[in-house]
Amino acid sequence: CSFAFPEGVEGIVQAYSACLPHIRFYGPTNFSPIVNHVARFAAQATQQEAASQYFILLIITDGVISDMDETRHAVVQASKLPMSIIIVGVGNADF
């Protein structure tokens, strides 16, 4: 599934609806790669003269984080960037 950066709640819902049929759920559930990926975009945005971009990473997961130490490190590193991370657990896993 491929989409541009969605704007607003409606854009997020549209992107989620478009991608969901193409996703196969499996483990392990590693979050650090996606946190680092979005952090790179946010870091690039800080290099622009007019800091006008803010990134929100919404992770909807049905699994417990498998790479907790790496994810914790990635979140700490991203904490000084113009981004927020929201993780929503769905299903019966122990979140």
Side-chain angles (χ1 to χ4, degrees), residues 7 18-19 23 44 47 53 55 58 67 71:
E7 291 188 24
C19 289
I23 296 173
Q44 289 175 352
Q47 302 303 312
Q53 291 183 311
F55 297 82
L58 172 62
D67 65 339
T71 296

Side-chain angles (χ1 to χ4, degrees), residues 36-92:
N36 289 327
H37 182 75
V38 174
R40 283 191 290 275
F41 284 107
Q44 289 175 352
T46 64
Q47 302 303 312
Q48 299 173 2
E49 284 186 32
S52 62
Q53 291 183 311
Y54 189 85
F55 297 82
I56 300 173
L57 171 59
L58 172 62
I59 300 174
I60 302 172
T61 181
D62 69 338
V64 177
I65 300 173
S66 301
D67 65 339
M68 183 60 80
D69 289 338
E70 294 87 352
T71 296
R72 186 178 297 118
H73 179 74
V75 169
V76 168
Q77 293 302 309
S79 67
K80 50 191 163 257
L81 296 171
M83 66 180 286
S84 292
I85 302 167
I86 303 167
I87 302 173
V88 178
V90 296
N92 297 327

Side-chain angles (χ1 to χ4, degrees), residues 16-38:
Y16 178 78
S17 298
C19 289
L20 192 58
H22 307 285
I23 296 173
R24 189 178 87 228
F25 295 98
Y26 62 94
T29 306
N30 295 323
F31 289 174
S32 63
I34 189 65
V35 172
N36 289 327
H37 182 75
V38 174

